[in-house]
Amino acid sequence: MRWRPRRWPSATLVVRVVYQGSFLALFFFLLASLADGDTRDFPHTLFHHLDPLSTLGVALASWSLPAALAWGSALLVLTLGVGRVFCGWICPLGTMQQLASFLFSPRSRRESLEVNRYRRWFALKTYLLAGVLAWALLGSLQTGLLDPLSLSARGLASGLWPVLPGGRAVPGGWLAAALLVAILVASRFVPRLFCRALCPLGALLGLFARWSLFRIQRGASSCTQCTLCRFACQGADEPLGAHRASECHVCLNCVDHCPEGSIRFRFLGRAPVAPEIPDLSRRLLAGSLLGGLVAGPLLRASGGGRGEARAERIRPPGSLPEMQFLDRCVKCSLCQQACPTGAIQPAITQAGFEGFWSPVVVPRRGGCELACTRCGEVCPTGAIERLTAARKTGYDGGEPVRIGTAFVDRGRCLPWAMATPCIVCEEMCPTDPKAIWFERIDATRRDGSTVALQRPLVDPQRCVGCGLCENRCPVGEAAAIRVSSVGESRDPLNRMLLGA
Ligand code: SF4
Ligand code: SF4
């Protein structure tokens, strides 16, 4: 028997859909408007500042709390009041899944009852939460890998934007897009499967929702056990049986669908009954904590690359020293989306396992504009500090912020290797005075003719590593001048000459 929806949606449903649609549209708009325009025009970091998982992760990893992230506690307070209302009404990834589920999975009522059933393995999200928090405690912040806000922003910034007109390809973008698409496709089979089983933010909110003041409550006397509430449930609450406050997304579908009016969302609903929520095995929980505690050192030992400098690990200007940077970066891709030149790309191998998908500057794709400070303006966690243009360039009287140093590859450089005149890199160099200067010579060609050449040399005292030279170098494939992270301001040990 296929269940037929009512002809008119209820007022609650309309209001919720309006909220969900508005928050989803806002999320898209903030991300889209980040690609151009003034970063101060809109609160681009709004969603990320409200994310208590980022707040907790950053606090555990760095033993500090950026003031803006304290807003995350507001969401916990809201959850203590009305449960996981964020999941049901605000979360953009939740709304996208709900939409996918609504559009692509027409089911009979019996099938819906089956897929809406709570399963013990939905507790996986709580084990994942325990694992990433234990990992953070050891100073490796990986909460962003599964955080729904970072995950959505990554999927859209790296997977969707590049295919829109004017978009720039992002290496590995397909990975972020594929993950997002897989989550949406999974909703075809189990509504909001990611929220139910994998979302560590949902798990965190679920822990607080156990004590929420407002809850779903079913009046057993008037209930006819018609199962319409279970059929309509968006979470895995099973409102007909043991109400699981920690699984309830407060979609209020059960209230809406109950023909007897037996289900209400009320102040001080009854306390959760067995099975105790979340339905956890102590052994597995201990295993998750232990896994998180050993995973960090293991990954670090097998190429984490935290301590030692890496040539291609060029961080955006204003980035904290590497250890602190990795304690703060939640891999949200906002800096990547805000970079006007496409210089910031997700690190696939450049920053080791721990730095996977953290931002690196790839000069061949885009140079860092001299006076641009957009990445620091939008970083929600302070992994990249806010700089003024004067501070970045050193026009305030201090040292300019360096992200690396350019090196001429004399084997590829046209004047050096092929007796062919070229001055592009010097022309592109934005510093004043220029970091690239020339050695002038008259070279004899193979046919005996002479040619006046200007061979580029780099003054490491002037070079800020912006990469505009590398970006515009006309030599195909690998440029003849390339930037390495050596000399970066944030790491006094990453120096060209020991002791310099
Ligand atoms: S400061 Fe450089 S890396 Fe950061 S957004 Fe601007 S151009 Fe991109
Ligand atoms: S550095 Fe970039 S990816 Fe990391 S938290 Fe800041 S804005 Fe997000």
Side-chain angles (χ1 to χ4, degrees), residues 170-200:
V170 174
W174 64 270
L175 199 59
L179 183 58
L180 189 57
V181 170
I183 288 170
L184 299 186
V185 170
S187 265
R188 156 77 179 78
F189 302 100
V190 177
R192 301 183 69 149
L193 179 62
F194 177 82
C195 310
R196 293 180 184 214
L198 295 170
C199 180

Side-chain angles (χ1 to χ4, degrees), residues 325 328-335 359 378-381 383-384:
F325 181 84
R328 292 272 184 109
C329 178
V330 291
K331 304 169 182 184
C332 66
S333 292
L334 294 193
C335 52
V378 302
C379 178
T381 63
I384 307 175

Side-chain angles (χ1 to χ4, degrees), residues 117 150 158 208 223 261 288 360 388 474 479:
R117 205 163 42 83
S150 292
S158 302
F208 283 78
C223 172
S288 309
V360 284
T388 61

Side-chain angles (χ1 to χ4, degrees), residues 41-398:
D41 282 349
F42 301 105
H44 295 103
T45 50
L46 177 74
F47 282 90
H48 299 272
H49 280 161
L50 282 173
D51 183 343
L53 183 61
S54 294
T55 309
L56 193 56
V58 168
L60 287 176
S62 67
W63 289 100
S64 65
L65 189 60
L69 277 186
W71 282 106
S73 50
L75 191 52
L76 295 182
V77 172
L78 182 68
T79 309
L80 282 174
V82 288
R84 285 173 65 181
V85 74
F86 172 83
C87 305
W89 295 59
I90 300 173
C91 179
L93 186 57
T95 303
M96 284 192 269
Q97 289 176 82
Q98 204 163 334
L99 201 57
S101 168
F102 173 74
L103 292 176
F104 303 117
S105 58
R107 292 190 197 95
S108 68
R109 183 163 155 192
R110 182 180 301 193
E111 286 163 348
S112 290
L113 286 177
E114 176 53 27
V115 296
N116 274 351
R117 205 163 42 83
Y118 175 79
R119 293 161 172 87
R120 283 204 72 175
W121 56 268
F122 287 172
L124 178 61
K125 60 182 175 300
T126 312
Y127 301 126
L128 287 171
L129 173 70
V132 290
L133 291 184
W135 206 347
L137 200 58
L138 283 190
S140 186
L141 185 58
Q142 304 300 335
T143 53
L145 289 179
L146 284 176
D147 180 289
L149 297 172
S150 292
L151 199 149
S152 309
R154 269 200 311 271
L156 295 172
S158 302
L160 178 63
W161 255 262
V163 299
L164 296 181
R168 289 178 294 245
V170 174
W174 64 270
L175 199 59
L179 183 58
L180 189 57
V181 170
I183 288 170
L184 299 186
V185 170
S187 265
R188 156 77 179 78
F189 302 100
V190 177
R192 301 183 69 149
L193 179 62
F194 177 82
C195 310
R196 293 180 184 214
L198 295 170
C199 180
L201 176 56
L204 178 64
L205 295 178
L207 294 178
F208 283 78
R210 295 175 66 192
W211 292 284
S212 62
L213 298 179
F214 280 81
R215 304 219 186 119
I216 294 294
Q217 198 174 33
R218 183 171 59 98
S221 56
S222 51
C223 172
T224 60
Q225 306 276 322
C226 69
T227 68
L228 276 173
C229 53
R230 262 177 61 189
F231 157 78
C233 179
Q234 274 294 324
D237 183 350
E238 295 195 321
L240 192 52
H243 168 52
R244 295 177 161 86
S246 60
E247 303 293 330
C248 173
H249 295 171
V250 201
C251 67
L252 304 185
N253 283 350
C254 53
V255 179
D256 252 6
H257 280 71
C258 179
E260 309 299 332
S262 298
I263 299 189
R264 299 216 194 128
F265 185 60
R266 301 176 62 159
F267 181 65
L268 272 184
R270 68 162 185 238
V273 293
E276 184 62 16
I277 309 301
D279 196 3
L280 296 176
S281 138
R282 278 187 205 160
R283 199 182 301 178
L284 276 176
L285 188 60
S288 309
L289 287 166
L290 202 62
L293 289 173
V294 298
L298 271 183
L299 288 182
R300 228 168 271 171
S302 59
R306 277 198 145 211
E308 84 271 22
R310 291 176 171 216
E312 72 280 20
R313 194 183 59 201
I314 305 165
R315 294 296 190 192
S319 295
L320 297 177
E322 188 64 12
M323 304 281 269
Q324 294 163 34
F325 181 84
L326 290 177
D327 291 347
R328 292 272 184 109
C329 178
V330 291
K331 304 169 182 184
C332 66
S333 292
L334 294 193
C335 52
Q336 173 193 324
Q337 180 75 350
C339 183
T341 66
I344 298 184
Q345 302 283 322
I348 307 298
T349 56
Q350 298 96 318
F353 285 110
E354 284 185 282
F356 179 70
W357 218 271
S358 59
V360 284
V361 172
V362 182
R364 201 54 171 155
R365 293 195 163 255
C368 178
E369 299 278 348
L370 190 65
C372 173
T373 54
R374 290 169 67 91
C375 46
E377 285 159 15
V378 302
C379 178
T381 63
I384 307 175
E385 283 181 320
R386 277 173 177 261
L387 298 172
T388 61
R391 177 73 293 281
K392 184 184 173 194
T393 53
Y395 289 174
D396 62 356

Side-chain angles (χ1 to χ4, degrees), residues 6-14 256:
R6 282 181 306 208
R7 186 172 297 223
W8 300 107
S10 71
T12 318
L13 178 63
V14 171
D256 252 6

